[in-house]
Each structure stands twice: as C-alpha cells, then as structure tokens.
Amino acid sequence: MPRKIMDISLVEENKSDYTFFKIDEDEGEDNDTLKALKQTYVTSNYKNETILNLQKELNTNSTEISKEIKLESYNKYNNALDLAIRHYITNAVEFIEEALKLNPKDPDILNLKGLLCLLKCDFSKAFESFYTSQCYGNNELSRKYVNLLSSKEFKVFLERYNHSIRFINEELNEESIEIFDSLILEEPDLIEPYVISILLYDRVGDEKKKIELLEELRCIDKNNPIFEKFNEEGVNLESKSEEKEETKVNKDDNKENTPKSKTKKTDKKHIVLYTVIAILIVCMGGAYLHNQKKINDLNEQISSKDTEIQENKKALSETEEMLSQKEQEAKDAQESEQKAKQQEEETKQIARGAEALYFDATKYKASGDYKTAIKYYEYTLKAKDTSSYNADSIYNIALSYKKMGDTENAIKYYKKYVSSYSASQEYYDDAYYQLATIYYENDRLQEAKDALRTLKATDPNSAYNRNEKVLAILK
C-alpha cells in the first residue's frame, strides 16, 4: 500500500459522496467459551443486497471535505499502514476506522481497511470496503479482491470456515480444531483461525499446542486482545484469578475466632460489681413506677391518633381513586391521539410507494434496527404497488422477528411465506429450513420434521435436503 503524500497543494477535492450500509450478518448461536468471537456468514444474497444499496445511493451528494480534514485522514492512514507493516493489526484497524470516518471516499483508505478486515477474517466488511473503493476509483487492487471474495474458490473456503464454527456451537471441538489447523496451514496470515484455535486448545487442555499458536499469533498480530487472556506461558489469567478468589473465600470461611484469655478476678472486684448491679435495680424500679403513668397517657393519645389516621386514610383512598380515574382518562385520550398520529403517519408512508418503503426497511434491517425494519416492511405490504416486493417483505419480516428472538411471530410469517408461494420463489426452501430450525430449537421436534418433509416433497432439488443438520433432525 502506498503512503499518503502530505502536501496540502496536492489534495484533490471530490464533491461526490454516497452512503454505504453495512452488510447484514447472520450470526449463529452464542458459544459460552467463544462468545467474544464474531461468526460471519457471507452469502451471495448479502453481496447482492450490498451492491443494490450502493447503486441506489451512488448519486447522493454531500458537503465537501476540507483539505485540513483530508490531511488528518492521511496522517491516520499512514499510522495504520506503519502499524500493519510492524504486525500491529488490531491497532491498525482502529486508526484506519478513524481515517475512514474523516474521509470516507478515499480508495486507498478503503483498500487498506479491506485488507485489514480480511486479515481479521471480517469478510463482510472486507467485501464492503473493496466494493466501495471500486465504485469510487475502479482501481486494480479493489477489483482483484472483489473478484477474489466473489470467486467459487473463496465460497468453498468460507463453507469450510463456517462449518468449523458450527462444530464449535455443537460442542464438536476436535472436529473444529482439525478444520482450523488446515486453514492455518493454507492461509497463515489470517488472524481469527489462530484466536479460535487457541481458545479451543485451552478448552481441551492441550497446553503445548496452545503455547505454540500463541507464539505464531504474536508474529502476525502483536497486540491481539487474546494476549490479555493468556500470559507468555499460556496460562489462562481469568481462570487463575477465579481460583485465587475461591481460595481466598475458603480461607476466610475456615478462620476461627481466637478465644479470649480469661483473666482472674479478685473477690474485691466481685463485691464492687454486685453492689453496682443492686443500685441499678433500685433505680430502674423507681424509674418504672414514674414512667408507667406516662405510658398510660401515651396509649390514650395513640388511640386517638389511630382514629384520626383511619379517617385520613379513607379520605386519601377516595382521592387516589379519583386521581386514578382521571389518569386513566388522560391515558386513554393520549393513546387515542397516538393511534390517530400513527394512522396518519402510516397513510403518509404508504403513499410513498412500495419501492421506497422496501429500500428504507432494508436499510433499517442492515443496521440492526429490526423493529423499525418490520414496520416499514409492513408499510410495503400495504402499498398499492407492492406486488413485486410482497414475497421479499414477508420473508424479511420473519427473519427480523427471528433476529429479535420473537419465535412465535417468526413462525407465523415463515408459515405465511411458504403457504403463499411455490418452490420457484427465491427464499422458499430457506423459509422452510428456518421454520424447521426454530421448531427444533424450541423442542418441537415433530413440527420440525413435518416442515422438512414438506420441503423435500415440494422442492426435492433443494440443497437443504442434503444438509447434515436436516438429515440429523429427520432421523
């Protein structure tokens, strides 16, 4: 990668700009040990959606970037480049992100971010950066990596990578280790396979291999966050800290109070003590007689106060009931007003047309705002010209509900999709697979089998019919 020239006279102004929306990521189930690792599944559908968003937004104009801001972005770019050359990839990513925020249209910055994300195995962001760079500069480097990430060879590599992640989620550690060992041999510059393998070897107790991989990782990413978890000898610092804390608690529980030594008392001290006690008893008796009258008077006052309190409580209860009624009336009025506003907003949005609504919904889904995405997909379904977006909207509503953890609504819309469309529809087999997966994960095995058998009957050529997980469910 070239360093950026810092001469302000050579900075070119570029008045064009567009907004890039993140590629949607389909994350699998969280794994307790490897929950901090990002599991990225890149498919042709995600790439197509990315390209569609870019092409739609390409003509959007924004304000010019000042020369001073460009110079600052070049400085951060050069810092990132220097760190990457010295194998501080994690820090380099931080600097290139800052540079990109300042100057989001520079092909060199985008290309360097793409290379760093590729090394970190964030394949979706790598594709995003290279494709964005190609749209701006159409340079050789971006073209090379866009073609690479779209190639059949990379698809095969990604299938193996994702397969090993699924093994982790299914607690098949040895099988996952075997795949990652081969990936490291084939692509020794990729960082995440080392990180995952180190955690897996730590889990299975292979200290020798874990230490070996830690040393190799230090050569390609010297400041990787994994080094905060393990010391130079490969000891898991978090586990060691927990053991120390447990040992400390046990020691505290086993401590015994040292018995106090008894001192001998003289007869003279006993006599003084008994005398003091006798005097105290006499005084307490006199105080008792004196205070008994006061106690009786106080009891009468308390009885009178109790009656007054009861009357006040009754009045307060009536007041609270009246206030509660008024609050409910105000709440009903507010809900009615809110409902009217929502209806007005819905009518206004639907008038924009299905295409605009669908693209807005896709943007919200890509950014992770699934609740808003669902609302705009529902607007799309109500638009008069929704016919060409109807199927995709129903599917994406189901997918969004699944992302939110709302399984019942996800099932409702997946069933609506497969009952409304035939096997020729793009997401038909995927909808059946997702429906069966939800059933299976919620202990509804028979319904999962029924869904998969229906898929096999209606779409015998679907790749899902040969999926290992599908075959396991149908056993």
Side-chain angles (χ1 to χ4, degrees), residues 163-177:
H163 204 60
S164 62
I165 295 294
R166 294 189 187 99
F167 277 149
I168 295 172
N169 292 334
E170 296 168 5
E171 301 295 333
L172 300 174
N173 300 323
E174 297 296 337
E175 290 81 351
S176 182
I177 286 173

Side-chain angles (χ1 to χ4, degrees), residues 395 414 417-435 451 454-460 462 464:
Y395 174 82
Y414 277 130
Y417 185 91
V418 297
S419 64
S420 301
Y421 301 100
S422 64
S424 61
Q425 200 68 33
E426 181 179 3
Y427 300 114
Y428 181 82
D429 59 346
D430 185 71
Y432 259 119
Y433 175 76
Q434 297 295 341
L435 182 61
T454 304
L455 170 61
K456 191 172 183 180
T458 56
D459 191 3
S462 172
Y464 284 111

Side-chain angles (χ1 to χ4, degrees), residues 36-49:
L37 293 172
K38 186 178 185 183
Q39 303 172 10
T40 305
Y41 298 88
V42 181
T43 69
S44 59
N45 288 338
Y46 295 143
K47 292 177 185 176
N48 292 338
E49 184 175 303

Side-chain angles (χ1 to χ4, degrees), residues 87-99:
H87 303 293
Y88 288 92
I89 304 300
T90 298
N91 279 354
V93 171
E94 295 174 2
F95 273 97
I96 203 63
E97 290 286 1
E98 293 176 5

Side-chain angles (χ1 to χ4, degrees), residues 282-301:
V282 173
C283 293
M284 290 173 64
Y288 173 79
L289 295 174
H290 176 72
N291 291 330
Q292 187 62 44
K293 186 177 182 300
K294 289 185 177 180
I295 291 171
N296 293 334
D297 294 340
L298 288 173
N299 284 334
E300 291 179 3
Q301 294 177 19

Side-chain angles (χ1 to χ4, degrees), residues 397-455:
I397 290 173
L399 179 61
S400 298
Y401 273 125
K402 183 185 176 186
K403 293 278 190 180
M404 292 170 64
D406 189 343
T407 57
E408 290 306 316
N409 273 314
I411 290 171
K412 173 184 173 182
Y413 278 91
Y414 277 130
K415 290 175 71 174
K416 182 176 180 179
Y417 185 91
V418 297
S419 64
S420 301
Y421 301 100
S422 64
S424 61
Q425 200 68 33
E426 181 179 3
Y427 300 114
Y428 181 82
D429 59 346
D430 185 71
Y432 259 119
Y433 175 76
Q434 297 295 341
L435 182 61
T437 301
I438 294 173
Y439 282 142
Y440 182 72
E441 291 171 354
N442 287 273
D443 299 324
R444 297 163 68 173
L445 181 59
Q446 188 57 50
E447 290 174 282
K449 289 183 177 182
D450 292 343
L452 293 174
R453 286 168 182 159
T454 304
L455 170 61

